């Protein structure tokens, strides 16, 4: 008679047409799946966005030196003497101005966060002139750089967005002094955009730091020479430091938060997915049972078991894919680019980021939907195939 | 239950029934008069669409006439509120349908018990009535069976048992043999006849089968909303 | 009650469908339970914050230290019952991921300030008299299997000892429990005296102060008074209620509460759709039967109540089982392996869950029930 493929083709056409007849039940399964996909993609886009910022922040040719034992800049402390020794070490790339080594100070101040109205920790970084050569991503997009020796700051574009009172010309109260915002900068989407920068020599007295710093950022000659450079520093008896690649440093920082979000997101979407499978099963069982007579007739006419099973599963799959596409679309429209900021517990300060709905996430969402559809169609499909013909022809 | 002096149980006066289908108005019954004395086994015949079932519904309180009145045992049932009608039906009318209309999720005896749930009878009392009803239709041995394991004829007999379990004075049957083969149909009709003769139950039966009508004590013909004693055509 | 049998018998119809609907509802309520626990965990501390306690920190930033002399000044302010201090230690035990909060405090004062930390009298005495003694919360103790008598070395990160050594040794002399379900039992507390004397810098400085006030309603006034006292000094303060302080950290995480609410609402809307549709479908299929019931004499109200009861039964079985299973799963603890140490299902959310189950039953049953009650018998019978 027919071969498999044309049988399936014929059946599927018939089945798909009946989806419209059972709008209510189809819609229920469809929206259930859409909901699951939207939640999954939405929550995972938070982790995606956060780690995107972290990844944009690290460069393979930049190394970060902290005091030995410190995991973050906050915990670290390096004397002026130490930073000079580090800057003199072989292996650092040089420019006409000298070794590309930037000694930096990292503190946090409180500013009101726009979204909640309550105070949050904002990173305030004190730098030296070399910083702008070492941290080459940083470039001013509005206003001008701060003048050395003055109570002036430049603010990252992310920080301006998330916190109140950081626009050009505004003054930030720090202790008893006021610092003027003279410029706004971008840093290629990296974490520096959540920070405020100023002259380290003005920041030190304001926070009673004497002549100490916390970190030194250096550009090493080539990414491969990192290990040699590191060994040189760690074997120097005058120093007690820890040397890490900048991208490793940020990758570590993001694992805690992204791990938490991904873990929770997967748990939630997993439970919702199970619920959606039950919903899909319900829809497909009712689809099959309302068509017992037709299916029995098909059997009687000679359509094989296999094509009947497959046609039911295709129907379930189509429903699920439509639902998945709707959910993915919804997630994209609602979440992509949504700006937020959260606490990075390693640096104890805010990191601004944007929800990032990547094509990869969308693909995952739709794949998930397809799995739900296939599971939801499987058992009803088997039941359809096993129906005893004679009884079914009499029934319904 | 009281009857009129001349023993009339059911009196239909100038009953009219219109249905609205979209913007059309369909006249099913037009100024219809009818009287049914107590103890009669009446057969209502007529072509399909003539309004037989509609008339039966009016008599059974399942529907209201557009104009006119319906009196059963001296009570104007067209005047009763929906709630009172429900209670009235439970007590005074037994219904037998063409497609039996048993609840598939209940056993035969539970199906028969249904009308009694609306009374104040105790569990034991209900059981007595149910057993009696099933006995009268000859299905005591099948009382714990579900409808899908009963044949068409047996299902209809359960339907009849349900119709008589509350001992109503009026039994309305709408095409009771319509879905049965000749043999089962005859069994059902004999049962109805026996109920009428031996227990003095008034029965109004709608049917389009002249063979079934032979069992009745009187036959009326309904055509285009009008009653007559002669068949048309 | 006799009608109940009729209602229950309806479940036998299309039993697979009933079971699947119940299972969907069950899963949804497990989710509800988890989301409530997660939300509680992320906003930890706010509920149990002392209504009569204030936190006083350096105005510029919490990482700045305050002079130890402020304690006496604060206690002079009218309305202040008592004041003590705390210092964030921030050390590492073996590796950074074994994080737990460590504080250097004045033992007697601290325990008096936090009566919800329950410690036996002998353990208290042991702590007061052991310089290197540390008292830890039950949660952290169980996490690392520590018991009274154990020696724990912690690596200082910001805080090194005089002479450059980084390892600080502690003796566990007590394990405290929390008075309430939400009380923080992750803290590692040790003697400020040991800390201040051995640390290589910052002598005489403290991290922040905790102040108890006589009258909680007076809290805002006293907070302002404290800040006024130290205005224009080299170390200005910011005083706020403990609740506001904790809320500040929760707010820094972001509007997680709102996101979770949004997910909950979406999930519920979806289940409503599925369950409601199933109910409606099941009632539609039964129009004939319901008409028969009405023909036999059941009133519209009878039929309405029956359908409603059916919906409530389905919602009830699925919902209460779901809440129960969710509660059981949650009591096995933190699903993230360390990031959410305090993880439980608050009673108020259990109550909320029960209300939602009932609401679900009512809402999904309402329209179909109404429809069933209003059935016109003759029409319905005719459609057969």
């Amino acid at each position: 008679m027919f071969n498999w493929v044309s049988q399936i083709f014929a059946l599927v056409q018939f089945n798909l047409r009946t989806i419209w007849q059972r709008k209510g039940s189809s819609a229920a399964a469809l929206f259930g799946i859409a909901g699951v996909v939207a939640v999954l993609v939405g929550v995972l886009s938070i982790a995606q966005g956060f780690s995107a910022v972290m990844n944009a922040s690290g460069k393979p040719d930049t190394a970060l030196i902290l005091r030995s034992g410190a995991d973050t800049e906050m915990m670290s402390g390096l004397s002026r003497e130490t930073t000079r020794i580090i800057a003199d070490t072989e292996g650092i790339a040089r420019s006409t101005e000298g070794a590309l080594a930037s000694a930096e100070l990292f503190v946090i101040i409180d500013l009101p966060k726009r979204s909640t109205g309550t105070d949050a920790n904002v990173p305030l970084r004190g730098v030296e002139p070399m910083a702008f050569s070492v941290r080459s991503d940083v470039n001013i997009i509005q206003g001008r750089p701060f003048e050395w020796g003055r109570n002036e700051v430049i603010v990252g574009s992310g920080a301006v967005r998330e916190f109140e009172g950081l626009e050009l010309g505004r003054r930030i109260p720090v202790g008893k002094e006021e610092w003027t915002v003279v410029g706004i900068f971008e840093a290629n989407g990296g974490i520096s955009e959540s920070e405020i920068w100023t002259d380290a020599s003005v920041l030190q007295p304001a926070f009673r730091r004497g002549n100490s710093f916390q970190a030194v950022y250096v550009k090493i000659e080539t990414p491969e020479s990192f290990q040699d450079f590191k060994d040189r520093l760690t074997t120097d008896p005058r120093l007690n430091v820890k040397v890490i690649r900048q991208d490793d440093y940020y990758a570590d920082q993001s694992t805690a938060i992204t791990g938490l979000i991904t873990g929770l997101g997967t748990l939630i979407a997993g439970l919702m997915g199970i619920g959606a499978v039950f919903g899909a099963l319900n829809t497909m069982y009712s689809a099959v049972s309302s068509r017992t007579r037709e299916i029995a007739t098909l059997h009687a006419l000679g359509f094989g078991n296999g094509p009947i099973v497959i046609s039911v599963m295709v129907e379930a799959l189509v429903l699920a894919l439509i639902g998945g596409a709707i959910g993915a679309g919804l997630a994209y429209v609602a979440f992509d680019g949504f700006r937020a900021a959260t606490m990075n517990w390693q640096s104890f300060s805010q990191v601004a980021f944007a929800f990032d709905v990547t094509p990869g996430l969308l693909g995952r969402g739709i794949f998930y939907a397809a799995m739900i559809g296939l599971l939801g169609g499987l058992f009803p499909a088997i039941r359809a195939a096993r129906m005893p013909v004679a009884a079914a022809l009499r029934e319904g | 239950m009281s009857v009129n002096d001349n023993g009339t149980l059911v009196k239909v006066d100038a009953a009219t029934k219109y249905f609205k289908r979209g913007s059309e108005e369909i006249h099913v019954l037009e100024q219809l008069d009818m009287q049914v004395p107590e103890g009669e086994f009446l057969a209502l015949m007529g072509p399909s669409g003539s309004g037989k079932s509609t008339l039966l519904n009016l008599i059974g309180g399942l529907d209201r006439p557009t104009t006119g009145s319906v009196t059963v045992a001296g009570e104007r049932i067209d005047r009763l509120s929906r709630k009172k009608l429900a209670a009235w039906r439970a007590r005074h009318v037994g219904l037998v349908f063409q497609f039996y209309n048993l609840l598939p999720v209940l056993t035969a005896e539970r199906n028969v018990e249904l009308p009694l749930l609306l009374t104040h009878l105790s569990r034991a009392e209900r059981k007595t009535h149910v057993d009696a009803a099933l006995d009268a239709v000859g299905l005591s041995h099948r009382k714990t069976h579900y409808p899908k394991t009963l044949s068409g004829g047996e299902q209809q007999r359960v339907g009849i048992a349900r119709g008589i379990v509350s001992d109503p004075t009026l039994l309305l049957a709408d095409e009771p043999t319509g879905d049965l083969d000749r043999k089962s149909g005859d069994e059902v009709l004999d049962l109805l006849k026996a109920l009428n003769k031996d227990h003095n139950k008034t029965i109004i039966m709608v049917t389009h089968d002249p063979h079934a009508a032979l069992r009745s004590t009187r036959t009326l013909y309904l055509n285009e909303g009008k009653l007559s004693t002669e068949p048309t055509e | 009650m006799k009608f109940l049998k009729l209602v229950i018998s309806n479940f036998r119809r299309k039993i697979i469908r009933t079971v699947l609907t119940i299972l969907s509802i069950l899963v949804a309520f497990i989710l509800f339970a988890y989301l409530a626990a997660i939300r509680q965990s992320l906003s930890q501390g706010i509920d149990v914050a002392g209504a009569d306690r204030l936190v006083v920190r350096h105005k510029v930033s919490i990482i700045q230290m305050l002079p130890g002399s402020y304690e006496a000044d604060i206690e002079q302010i009218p309305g202040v019952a008592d004041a003590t201090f705390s210092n964030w230690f921030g050390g590492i035990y073996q590796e950074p991921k074994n994080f737990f909060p460590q504080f250097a405090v004045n033992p007697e004062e601290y325990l008096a300030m936090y009566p919800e930390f329950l410690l036996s009298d002998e353990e208290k005495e042991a702590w007061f008299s052991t310089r290197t003694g540390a008292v830890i919360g039950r949660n952290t103790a169980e996490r690392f299997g520590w018991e009274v008598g154990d020696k724990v070395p912690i690596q200082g990160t910001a805080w090194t000892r005089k002479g450059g050594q980084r390892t600080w040794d502690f003796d566990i002399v007590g394990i405290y429990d929390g008075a309430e379900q939400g009380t923080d039992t992750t803290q590692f507390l040790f003697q400020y005296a040991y800390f201040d004397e051995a640390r290589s810098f910052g002598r005489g400085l403290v991290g922040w102060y905790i102040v108890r006030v006589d009258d909680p309603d007076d809290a805002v006034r006293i907070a302002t008074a404290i800040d006024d006292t130290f205005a224009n000094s080299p170390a200005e303060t910011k005083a706020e209620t403990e609740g506001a302080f904790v809320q500040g950290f929760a707010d820094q995480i972001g509007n997680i509460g709102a996101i979770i609410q949004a997910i909950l609402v979406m999930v519920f809307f979806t289940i409503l759709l599925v369950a409601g549709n199933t109910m409606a479908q099941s009632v539609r299929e039964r129009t004939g039967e319901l008409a028969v019931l009405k023909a036999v004499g059941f009133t519209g109200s009878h039929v309405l109540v029956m359908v409603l009861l059916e919906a409530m039964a389905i919602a009830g079985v699925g919902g209460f089982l779901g809440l129960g299973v969710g509660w059981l799963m949650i009591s096995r603890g933190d699903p993230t392996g360390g990031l959410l140490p305090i993880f439980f299902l608050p009673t108020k959310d259990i109550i909320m869950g029960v209300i939602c189950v009932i609401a679900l039953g009512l809402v999904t049953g309402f329209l179909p029930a109404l429809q069933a009650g209003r059935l016109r018998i003759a029409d319905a019978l005719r459609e057969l």
Side-chain angles (χ1 to χ4, degrees):
Chain A
M1 224 188 170
F2 293 84
N3 65 19
W4 259 54
V5 175
S6 37
Q7 282 190 41
I8 295 175
F9 196 59
L11 290 177
V12 166
Q13 281 194 322
F14 166 66
N15 282 358
L16 291 183
R17 230 166 286 174
T18 64
I19 290 183
W20 182 248
Q21 282 171 6
R22 287 171 292 107
K23 320 192 246 294
S25 146
S26 308
L30 205 129
F31 283 115
I33 294 176
V36 175
V37 171
V39 166
L40 181 70
V41 172
V43 172
L44 289 184
S45 74
I46 300 177
Q48 199 75 26
F50 190 84
S51 61
V53 167
M54 291 310 202
N55 289 340
S57 309
K59 290 211 148 16
D61 64 354
T62 306
L64 172 62
I65 297 125
L66 301 172
R67 191 186 55 206
S68 168
D71 276 306
T72 63
E73 290 175 288
M74 284 255 288
M75 295 297 170
S76 168
L78 301 170
S79 66
R80 160 59 80 198
E81 179 65 22
T82 308
T83 64
R84 285 215 187 97
I85 298 174
I86 294 172
D88 282 339
T89 308
E90 198 190 314
I92 300 182
R94 303 186 76 88
S95 73
T96 47
E97 279 117 33
L100 290 174
S102 163
E104 303 185 4
L105 183 61
F106 184 90
V107 297
I108 54 180
I109 58 170
D110 269 9
L111 287 174
K113 191 165 158 164
R114 282 191 215 270
S115 61
T116 59
T118 55
D119 283 355
N121 300 345
V122 187
L124 175 55
R125 188 177 289 277
V127 298
E128 295 189 313
M130 251 331 163
F132 291 94
S133 311
V134 178
R135 318 279 234 111
S136 43
D137 279 345
V138 174
N139 69 296
I140 309 270
I141 54 168
Q142 266 185 61
R144 57 169 177 80
F146 55 79
E147 270 187 44
W148 301 96
R150 304 185 64 144
N151 282 9
E152 292 180 349
V153 302
I154 53 175
V155 179
S157 53
V160 181
R161 232 185 335 256
E162 293 301 319
F163 301 99
E164 285 179 24
L166 290 177
E167 295 84 5
L168 262 187
R170 299 287 290 266
R171 300 157 88 86
I172 315 172
V174 178
K176 278 190 256 311
E177 329 211 321
E178 288 198 330
W179 304 53
T180 318
V181 180
V182 300
I184 308 217
F185 68 90
E186 274 186 353
N188 208 19
I191 205 174
S192 310
E193 288 183 4
S194 307
E195 299 177 348
I196 304 176
W197 284 27
T198 187
D199 182 350
S201 62
V202 184
L203 190 58
Q204 280 162 335
F207 276 72
R208 295 157 190 277
R209 293 301 178 103
N211 202 3
S212 70
F213 296 84
Q214 278 155 310
V216 180
Y217 287 76
V218 309
K219 261 222 185 338
I220 41 184
E221 279 164 355
T222 66
E224 294 76 33
S225 58
F226 173 77
Q227 193 54 48
D228 289 335
F229 178 68
K230 175 176 174 174
D231 292 335
R232 230 166 272 139
L233 286 174
T234 47
T235 50
D236 189 325
R238 302 168 292 174
L239 300 175
N240 196 12
V241 297
K242 172 173 166 174
V243 187
I244 17 179
R245 274 194 214 270
Q246 195 190 24
D247 42 13
D248 288 337
Y249 178 61
Y250 286 121
D252 282 341
Q253 290 204 350
S254 81
T255 40
I257 298 219
T258 50
L260 174 68
I261 296 174
T262 309
L264 288 181
T266 312
L267 172 72
I268 294 174
L271 281 174
M272 284 183 78
I274 295 178
V277 167
F278 291 139
L281 275 171
N282 228 347
T283 301
M284 292 316 299
Y285 266 123
S286 84
V288 164
S289 66
S290 68
R291 277 183 278 158
T292 38
R293 199 172 236 179
E294 289 99 344
I295 296 175
T297 311
L298 290 170
H299 263 132
L301 287 178
F303 280 87
N305 261 351
I308 291 182
V309 167
I310 293 180
S311 71
V312 171
M313 292 191 64
V314 167
E315 190 183 332
L317 195 61
V318 167
L319 260 183
L321 285 175
I322 297 178
I326 294 179
L330 229 126
Y332 183 75
V333 165
F335 294 123
D336 190 45
F338 184 74
R339 295 203 173 271
T342 193
M343 180 79 124
N344 175 5
W345 292 95
Q346 320 292 80
S347 67
F348 207 55
S349 51
Q350 295 281 308
V351 173
F353 65 100
F355 286 39
D356 190 14
V357 178
T358 62
L361 276 186
L362 289 173
R364 254 165 75 182
I366 297 196
F367 177 73
Y368 197 40
M371 288 297 105
I372 294 177
L374 284 176
L375 265 177
L378 184 62
F379 293 101
I382 294 178
R383 177 183 245 212
R386 289 237 212 99
M387 228 179 267
V389 175
L393 281 175
R394 242 189 300 131
E395 206 189 300
Chain B
M1 198 165 184
S2 69
V3 241
N4 292 352
D5 342 29
N6 51 3
T8 310
L9 186 58
V10 178
K11 192 165 183 306
V12 178
D13 260 322
T16 329
K17 185 69 185 169
Y18 301 160
F19 284 112
K20 262 206 166 55
R21 201 152 281 165
S23 52
E24 264 186 271
E25 209 179 54
I26 303 176
H27 297 204
V28 183
L29 300 175
E30 201 78 60
Q31 297 286 323
L32 196 130
D33 294 318
M34 187 170 94
Q35 287 176 24
V36 182
E38 201 187 353
E40 178 162 85
F41 185 163
L42 174 70
L44 260 183
M45 294 192 64
S48 68
S50 52
K52 313 189 292 292
S53 299
T54 309
L55 180 55
L56 207 67
N57 287 347
L58 291 183
I59 296 173
L62 295 169
D63 204 354
R64 265 195 253 279
T66 316
T67 62
S69 73
V70 179
T71 315
V72 179
E75 208 170 347
R76 280 287 299 273
I77 63 168
D78 58 291
R79 286 236 190 95
L80 290 178
S81 72
R82 207 167 293 214
K83 209 164 151 210
K84 288 219 167 70
L85 255 184
W88 179 84
R89 274 200 307 277
R91 283 227 49 224
H92 299 304
V93 176
L95 297 164
V96 179
F97 303 94
Q98 176 176 3
F99 292 107
Y100 339 129
N101 286 347
L102 301 179
L103 268 56
V105 295
L106 298 176
T107 58
E109 61 178 348
R110 290 243 176 277
N111 261 293
V112 173
E113 195 191 14
L114 266 183
L116 296 181
L117 293 180
L118 297 160
T119 64
H120 294 295
L121 295 175
S122 75
R123 194 146 159 217
E125 285 168 329
R126 294 203 297 270
K127 186 158 167 24
T128 316
H129 280 80
V130 167
D131 287 344
L134 281 170
D135 202 37
V137 304
L139 279 178
S140 306
H141 60 293
R142 306 279 257 156
K143 64 181 178 187
T144 54
H145 285 237
Y146 286 94
K148 67 175 183 230
T149 60
L150 300 173
S151 74
E154 288 170 329
Q155 288 187 51
Q156 190 59 296
R157 278 148 67 192
V158 172
I160 295 175
R162 180 179 64 192
I164 60 170
V165 75
S166 57
D167 202 23
T169 333
L170 185 59
L171 200 59
L172 302 176
D174 193 346
E175 308 268 12
T177 58
D179 204 51
L180 299 172
D181 59 83
R182 176 50 60 88
K183 182 163 177 295
S184 312
D186 281 345
E187 283 173 4
V188 165
L189 290 168
D190 287 338
L191 186 50
L192 289 176
K193 184 86 188 156
L195 287 170
N196 173 244
K197 244 176 99 187
D198 306 335
H199 300 272
N200 206 36
K201 297 241 177 279
T202 313
I203 305 181
I204 303 179
M205 175 176 75
V206 160
T207 182
H208 63 271
D209 180 9
H211 175 85
L214 287 175
R215 299 271 203 310
S216 63
T217 55
R218 179 165 70 123
T219 308
L220 284 176
Y221 298 89
L222 190 57
N223 196 14
E224 286 179 7
K226 296 247 186 295
L227 269 180
S228 77
T229 47
E230 298 300 320
T232 36
E233 298 152 354
Chain C
M1 276 315 102
K2 48 197 178 176
F3 294 125
L4 211 60
K5 280 227 181 100
L6 199 52
V7 172
I8 293 176
S9 70
N10 275 314
F11 293 142
R12 305 188 57 258
R13 184 196 321 272
K14 298 247 171 93
I15 196 156
I16 293 183
R17 180 172 65 192
T18 311
V19 167
L20 286 175
T21 310
I22 290 181
L23 283 174
S24 323
I25 297 179
L26 192 147
V27 166
F29 276 93
I30 293 180
L31 195 56
F32 174 92
Y34 260 101
L35 286 173
I38 291 172
R39 182 178 55 182
Q40 173 69 22
S41 201
L42 289 175
S43 65
Q44 199 41 252
I46 297 175
D47 298 332
V48 294
D52 60 350
R53 288 196 292 255
L54 303 174
V55 172
V56 183
R57 57 167 173 88
H58 196 294
K59 184 170 174 201
V60 171
S61 155
I62 191 162
I63 62 170
Q64 295 288 84
M65 313 211 61
L66 291 171
S69 58
Y70 280 15
E71 184 173 345
D73 297 326
I74 293 175
E75 282 172 344
Q76 298 289 346
I77 298 174
V80 169
D82 204 5
T84 187
F85 55 82
S86 180
N87 282 278
W88 177 263
F89 187 64
I92 297 178
Y93 173 67
Q94 292 176 349
E95 15 165 36
K97 74 174 181 62
N98 291 342
F99 168 81
F100 53 91
Q102 305 129 26
F103 302 100
V105 298
N106 176 320
E108 287 105 331
E109 288 184 356
Y110 202 76
L111 287 178
M113 186 65 72
Y114 288 99
E116 60 262 41
F117 289 1
L118 308 171
L119 209 52
S120 75
D121 287 331
E122 0 167 82
E123 284 173 317
K124 281 186 193 169
E125 281 310 316
W127 194 25
F128 299 161
S129 56
T130 315
R131 224 171 122 261
T132 55
V135 161
I136 46 177
R138 178 75 53 192
N139 189 300
T140 301
E142 284 179 354
R143 186 170 159 205
F144 296 106
W146 287 333
E147 290 173 23
V148 173
D150 285 346
K151 288 198 183 313
V152 176
I154 298 195
Q155 302 295 321
T157 49
W159 299 109
T160 52
R161 302 173 70 148
K162 288 192 185 119
Q165 209 212 8
R166 278 219 323 274
T167 310
W168 296 73
D169 292 299
F170 298 99
D171 299 297
I172 310 240
V173 296
I175 298 180
Y176 76 83
D177 288 294
E180 290 178 55
Q181 218 180 1
T183 304
D184 184 4
T185 57
T186 61
Q187 297 184 19
F188 182 102
L189 307 166
F190 59 96
Q191 290 239 17
Y192 177 75
Y194 173 42
F195 171 64
D196 196 36
E197 204 243 343
R199 58 175 159 170
S200 56
F201 65 95
R203 270 210 92 173
L205 298 176
V206 298
W208 61 88
Y209 286 97
I210 307 130
V211 178
R212 190 205 319 283
V213 301
D214 291 316
D215 179 5
D217 293 328
D218 217 9
V220 177
R221 179 192 69 75
I222 296 178
T224 317
I226 294 177
D227 289 340
D228 286 341
T229 308
F230 302 109
N232 298 318
S233 69
E236 294 187 310
T237 61
K238 176 165 163 142
E240 53 191 344
T241 61
E242 193 176 68
F245 180 70
V246 178
Q247 179 71 52
F249 282 107
D251 284 348
Q252 295 213 52
I253 295 179
N255 228 345
I256 299 282
I259 295 178
I260 293 187
Q261 304 274 53
I263 297 180
L264 272 174
V265 168
M266 233 177 81
V267 167
F268 263 80
F269 185 64
T270 313
I271 316 168
L272 229 79
L273 224 83
V274 171
N277 183 66
T278 312
M279 269 318 298
Q281 205 180 31
S282 130
V283 169
R284 259 199 304 273
E285 287 164 2
R286 275 187 281 158
T287 331
E289 282 173 41
L290 292 169
V292 168
L293 282 174
K294 286 182 90 170
V296 159
F298 286 79
T299 61
S301 324
H302 278 131
V303 169
L304 186 148
V305 168
M306 275 186 358
V307 171
L308 206 55
L309 275 180
E310 212 180 298
M312 303 227 38
I314 292 181
V317 170
F320 292 130
L321 267 180
L323 284 175
V325 171
W327 183 83
L328 272 175
M329 286 168 71
I330 287 174
S331 51
R332 281 178 51 231
D334 180 7
T336 59
L339 292 164
L340 298 174
I342 302 187
F343 199 71
F344 63 96
L345 182 58
T347 317
K348 65 172 160 58
D349 286 309
I350 297 180
I351 296 178
M352 192 69 214
V354 169
I355 294 178
C356 284
V357 172
I358 297 176
L360 182 68
L362 284 174
V363 171
T364 55
F366 181 65
L367 278 178
L370 209 65
Q371 214 179 20
R374 290 226 197 107
L375 262 183
R376 301 192 67 103
I377 311 167
D379 296 344
L381 287 178
R382 221 163 357 108
E383 267 162 40
L384 290 176

